[in-house]
Structures are given as structure tokens and as C-alpha cells.
């Protein structure tokens, strides 16, 4: 029997039928660029966690590669009491990998933990603050009581912090152990974790959505894109999630390999430290943005595998305003604006970036060169990614500019804008803007999607006028592939789910 993809599984009857199907023995080897260091769903926000999380965990809802929300551990859901209650009917007969039953108590435990003191330690809690509490109706039914509207809640429940976790296992073992030895209900079971080296899984033969075809799934943490490409060429990995753009044509010429490039949610910008030196002046920030030829960077460095942006989101993002245009490249006007603001030629600034990102290193060098052209001397400071994201940015210790990169996994500008611009959020160490806070609050607290879109576009225009960042581009999602790997269903957001994958 040929297994259908998980995303088509919308009933337990279908799932049960699939579990008896044949599978193709083999191991899929996948390279990802970063080890998040903790596999607890509430402990991280990184796309590299998402590349793994959906193999071991399930949410109540799942999102397919074509962006549809479908049943996961819940078979159905409905809004009640004037949209103040969200009721889930749960899938029956599901077990966690340790044999513990999945039920309403597990759902309540998951969200009590996420919204409680444990959740405060990580970055996920704020995504779910619309939930006041979870109430168990019976063993297979739960109600989410909502404090306020959250129009992106269903999408959020399909990933990251909302993944359902095992109560008994965590209570007995503790969160630290769980973070290094994850247990979920997903299609693959944890086998071994070697930090910064590899993460191994085996097939969950009793998976409710149909057992995977693969016997084993191995992730290797390979920081350098060039090394990923070399391992791909050598046949030691089947999927590379980062490869040097300059090697794409070479890889395509190899009869055993393929490259897939698609629109993705990842946006990149240079964020300005608005509390430091010349960056306190928004006209200076606009001038620096106009000093950089972002179209040339896309063409010459990214080889066309990106698209220009006017706000910190791509074209696929709900809330993107196609009428909002990037500030033009105009170094002469930039020079005049800097002179008017009293910025002297030779003024020095610092640009912080993720040192392991070789592609962005070239972008940062290009930005520095363009700024040199208008009299600004920019020094580049590379950081270990985890240090930059966990120690430098949230603590407000950046230079005048820093690499701002966001996965936008909900494909909704809210997920980006609230995290970036709302006062005292993790990624907003400097700005406190009452008007921007009010706009962000307004769009987050309505179910009216048309009204939300209007407000989100207003937020993008406001941020652009304040020049809180230099928007650079929306990056294509690019994978290097060994053709022996089949039915990968590669996602634009990097959240792999290899239930139907096989290897020759």
C-alpha cells in the first residue's frame, strides 16, 4: 500500500489504515545549520528547532506545506460563546513515545506549563497570551478560555511552543532532561543527541498518522554552508538546508543532485540601535538605508535568490503592502541628509552579525562598503549565533546596527511585528513607542481579518517612516538534495516533516 502524506490525513480511520502499510527501509541524513541546544517546545524560537520539532512532536492542529490548517491531535475545533471559548475534540488512542496516553490532561499540562513559570523562561509564552486557561471537559475534550481575540492563534497552535508534551515523563524526569531527551507523539522517536554534532531518530511504527517509510532519520549540525555542500556532493547527506549560493549551478550539474529554490518567509534587515550615537536621528537612519543598493546585493551576492522588501516581511506574509516601496538607492541624497544632520565624514559605527552565516557575511561587507561611500566607517563584528540572539540583542548590547533575521513562520506580519516592535519584547531592546504599541495591540485584538490587514499595513508604513531598520530582502528557501531521497514535501518555512519520505 502506498502511504498517503500526513497532511492529507484528516481522520483517525484513514490514519489507522495507513499504519499497516509497507515501508522502505533506510536512513535519511539531513544537515541543518544550527543546534538550538534544547528540544523542549517552549525553550526556543529558532527555525532549526522547527526543522526537527515536527518529527517528534504534534500539535492539536497541523499546517500542510501548502499552508492549510488540518487536524492534528485534535480531530475538530469550534469557537463558542461569542469567540471567547475554543473547544477541541481530541484524537483517541494516541500514545506518547514512552507509552503514556495522550488525552485532555496532557493538553492542559502542556498549556499550563507554557503559560506558567516554566514558560516564562523561554521566548514562546507571549505568542499564546490570549489563552487564559485550558479546562478539561472530559478525557477527549478541552476548552481554551480566551482573554482576548488572537486572529493568528490557530496557526500558532500548529507549531513551536504549542506542541503537546507528556506530563508524567516531564514530571518525573524534569525539564532539563526532557530538553535533551525529547518525547512526543510524532512520527519519529528520539534515539540519541550529541550536542552540536547530531540528533538521531527511529521510526515510530505505531504513529497515529501512519508509520513513516524510513527506518531512521539523522540530523547533522553543520554550520558552514560550504561544508553542507561538500557533504552533499560526497553522498553523506541527503538534504542540505544551507548551501553557498555560488555553488548552486555546480550542484545542479551533478546528475545525482538537485537544488530547490522557493519563496520563503525569512526576512533580513539591518536593525538600528535607535539609542546610540547618530542612530538616534531617524533622518540619519533613512540616509543610511538610501546609501545601500539592496537590488545590487540581491543580484550580485544572492544571485537572484531573494526579493527586495519595504518592511520586515515577504510577499507571502499576511499584512504585506505591495504599495509600500523601499527607499530608493540614492547616495547623493544620503550624503546631503547626513551633512544636514551634522554627521561628520569618518564617523564610525559597528555592525553585528551571525558569524557562521557566510552568505550574510558578504552582505554585511557590501553594506559596509556602501556606507563607506557616504562617509560612514562601519566595522563588522561577528558573533556566535546563540550568543548574539540570547546575550547581545535581548540585553541591548548591540552596536549601531545588527543583523535582524526572522523566520515569520506564521506567514502573518503580527508574529514578526509584535516581537520586533512592541515595548520590552525580546527583540526590541531599545524602542518604546506608544503609538506603535497601540497599533500592534489593535490588530492583535480583533477577529476581523480585513481590519487587521489595514492595521498591519499601517504598522509597516509607520515603521518605515521611523526607519527602525534597513529592510534588505526576503530570502528564498533553498535546499540541496540527493535525488535518492523521495517524497520529501519540502516546506517553505523549513519545518520538515518526513512521514512519507523514502530513500532508494
Amino acid at each position: 500500500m502506498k502511504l498517503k502524506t500526513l497532511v492529507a490525513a484528516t481522520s483517525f480511520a484513514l490514519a489507522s489504515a495507513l499504519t499497516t502499510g509497507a515501508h522502505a527501509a533506510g536512513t535519511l541524513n539531513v544537515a541543518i545549520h544550527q543546534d538550538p541546544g534544547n528540544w523542549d517546545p517552549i525553550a526556543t524560537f529558532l527555525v532549526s528547532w522547527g526543522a526537527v520539532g515536527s518529527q517528534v512532536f504534534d500539535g492539536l492542529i497541523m499546517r500542510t506545506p501548502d499552508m492549510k490548517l488540518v487536524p492534528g491531535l485534535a480531530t475538530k475545533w469550534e469557537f463558542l460563546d461569542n469567540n471567547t471559548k475554543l473547544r477541541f475534540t481530541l484524537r483517541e488512542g494516541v500514545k506518547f513515545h514512552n507509552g503514556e496516553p495522550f488525552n485532555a490532561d496532557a493538553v492542559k499540562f502542556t498549556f499550563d506549563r507554557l503559560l506558567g513559570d516554566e514558560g516564562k523562561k523561554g521566548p514562546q509564552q507571549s505568542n499564546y497570551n490570549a489563552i487564559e486557561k485550558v479546562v478539561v471537559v472530559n478525557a477527549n475534550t478541552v476548552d481554551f478560555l480566551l482573554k482576548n481575540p488572537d486572529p493568528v492563534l490557530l496557526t500558532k497552535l500548529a507549531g513551536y511552543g504549542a506542541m503537546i508534551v507528556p506530563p508524567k515523563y516531564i514530571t518525573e524526569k524534569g525539564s532539563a532532561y526532557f530538553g535533551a531527551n525529547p518525547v512526543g507523539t510524532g512520527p519519529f522517536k528520539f534515539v540519541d543527541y550529541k550536542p552540536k554534532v547530531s540528533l538521531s531518530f527511529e521510526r515510530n511504527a505505531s504513529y497515529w498518522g501512519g508509520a513513516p517509510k524510513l527506518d531512521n532519520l539523522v540530523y547533522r549540525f553543520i554550520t558552514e554552508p560550504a561544508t553542507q555542500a561538500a557533504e552533499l556532493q560526497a553522498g553523506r547527506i541527503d538534504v542540505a538546508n544551507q548551501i553557498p549560493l555560488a555553488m548552486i549551478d555546480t550542484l545542479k550539474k551533478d546528475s545525482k543532485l538537485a537544488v530547490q529554490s522557493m519563496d520563503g518567509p525569512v526576512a533580513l534587515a539591518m536593525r538600528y540601535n535607535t539609542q546610540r550615537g547618530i542612530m538616534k536621528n531617524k533622518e540619519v537612519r533613512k540616509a543610511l538605508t538610501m546609501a545601500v543598493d539592496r537590488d545590487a546585493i540581491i543580484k550580485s551576492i544572492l544571485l537572484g535568490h531573494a526579493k527586495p522588501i519595504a518592511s520586515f516581511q515577504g510577499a507571502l506574509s499576511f499584512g504585506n503592502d505591495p504599495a509600500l516601496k523601499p527607499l530608493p538607492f540614492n547616495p547623493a541624497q544620503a550624503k546631503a541628509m547626513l551633512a544636514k544632520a551634522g554627521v561628520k565624514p569618518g564617523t564610525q559605527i559597528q555592525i553585528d552579525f551571525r558569524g557562521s552565516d557566510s552568505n550574510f557575511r558578504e552582505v554585511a561587507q557590501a553594506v559596509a562598503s556602501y556606507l563607506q561611500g557616504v562617509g560612514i566607517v562601519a566595522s563588522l563584528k561577528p558573533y556566535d549565533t546563540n550568543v548574539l540572539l540570547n546575550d547581545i540583542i535581548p540585553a541591548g548590547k548591540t552596536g549601531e546596527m545588527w543583523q535582524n533575521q526572522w523566520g515569520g513562520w506564521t506567514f502573518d506580519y503580527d508574529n514578526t511585528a509584535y516581537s520586533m516592535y512592541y515595548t520590552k519584547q525580546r527583540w526590541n531592546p531599545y524602542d518604546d513607542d506608544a503609538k506603535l504599541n497601540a497599533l500592534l495591540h489593535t490588530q492583535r485584538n480583533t477577529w476581523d481579518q480585513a481590519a487587521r490587514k489595514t492595521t498591519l499595513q499601517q504598522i509597516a508604513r509607520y515603521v518605515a517612516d521611523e526607519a527602525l531598520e534597513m529592510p534588505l530582502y526576503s530570502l528564498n528557501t533553498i535546499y540541496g538534495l540527493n535525488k535518492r531521497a523521495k517524497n520529501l514535501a519540502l516546506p517553505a518555512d523549513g519545518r520538515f516533516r518526513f512521514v512519507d519520505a523514502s530513500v532508494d
Side-chain angles (χ1 to χ4, degrees), residues 52-369:
V52 176
S54 294
Q55 315 293 359
V56 66
F57 298 107
D58 294 309
L60 297 174
I61 300 172
M62 296 190 300
R63 188 174 69 188
T64 68
D66 60 355
M67 307 292 289
K68 294 179 180 177
L69 296 177
V70 299
L73 289 175
T75 58
K76 66 178 181 179
W77 53 89
E78 58 181 332
F79 284 93
L80 303 171
D81 299 346
N82 196 28
N83 295 330
T84 62
K85 181 188 294 183
L86 178 56
R87 174 165 291 178
F88 287 94
T89 301
L90 306 181
R91 198 175 294 277
E92 298 182 37
V94 178
K95 292 185 181 297
F96 289 96
H97 300 150
N98 64 336
E100 191 175 333
F102 161 75
N103 52 30
D105 288 334
V107 176
K108 178 173 173 55
F109 175 87
T110 295
F111 285 91
D112 285 352
R113 181 172 181 264
L114 169 62
L115 299 173
D117 290 339
E118 193 68 29
K120 287 180 182 178
K121 300 175 185 178
Q124 286 292 337
Q125 189 179 87
S126 65
N127 283 326
Y128 303 92
N129 280 338
I131 303 169
E132 180 178 2
K133 62 180 177 179
V134 173
V135 176
V136 173
V137 178
N138 56 50
N140 301 305
T141 310
V142 293
D143 285 342
F144 283 45
L145 305 186
L146 305 178
K147 293 185 288 188
N148 49 261
D150 181 351
V152 198
L153 181 59
L154 292 179
T155 297
K156 293 174 184 176
L157 293 175
Y160 289 88
M163 296 293 198
I164 306 300
V165 300
K168 182 179 178 182
Y169 181 78
I170 293 176
T171 300
E172 292 179 351
K173 299 290 188 179
S175 292
Y177 185 88
F178 173 61
N181 302 269
V183 165
T185 61
F188 291 92
K189 297 190 292 185
F190 170 79
V191 173
D192 180 66
Y193 173 42
K194 297 181 175 65
K196 297 187 177 181
V197 178
S198 64
L199 179 66
S200 301
F201 296 99
E202 65 183 7
R203 175 177 183 261
N204 179 9
S206 59
Y207 182 54
W208 63 265
K213 293 182 178 180
L214 297 165
D215 279 331
N216 300 288
L217 173 62
V218 176
Y219 287 88
R220 290 177 55 197
F221 306 115
I222 303 177
T223 301
E224 290 293 335
T227 306
Q228 286 200 23
E231 292 294 280
L232 186 68
Q233 289 175 305
R236 289 188 285 267
I237 61 172
D238 302 301
V239 180
N241 84 323
Q242 287 198 356
I243 54 177
L245 298 175
M247 290 193 67
I248 288 178
D249 287 342
T250 299
L251 297 177
K252 284 182 175 180
K253 291 176 183 177
D254 189 323
S255 61
K256 303 186 298 295
L257 306 178
V259 176
Q260 187 166 339
S261 179
M262 65 187 82
D263 284 345
V266 177
L268 287 99
M270 288 291 194
R271 186 74 176 267
Y272 293 118
N273 180 341
T274 58
Q275 302 302 310
R276 185 162 170 171
I278 63 172
M279 299 303 178
K280 294 178 181 179
N281 186 332
K282 79 172 183 180
E283 294 304 312
V284 170
R285 302 194 297 264
K286 287 183 178 180
L288 298 188
T289 300
M290 295 174 70
V292 176
D293 190 344
R294 286 142 286 158
D295 289 333
I297 287 174
I298 291 171
K299 181 178 180 180
S300 61
I301 297 177
L302 305 177
L303 305 180
H305 291 281
K307 294 177 176 61
I309 55 175
S311 59
F312 197 34
Q313 59 184 323
L316 298 177
S317 171
F318 182 82
N320 184 60
D321 184 359
L324 180 63
K325 303 300 181 185
L327 286 172
F329 172 54
N330 191 330
Q333 186 176 347
K335 273 187 176 182
M337 293 170 68
L338 290 172
K340 184 177 180 181
V343 178
K344 297 178 180 179
T347 296
Q348 297 186 359
I349 66 170
Q350 177 180 299
I351 298 176
D352 302 336
F353 69 101
R354 304 180 187 188
S356 63
D357 189 339
S358 59
N359 287 331
F360 194 83
R361 181 186 296 270
E362 291 188 52
V363 173
Q365 290 169 342
V367 170
S369 178

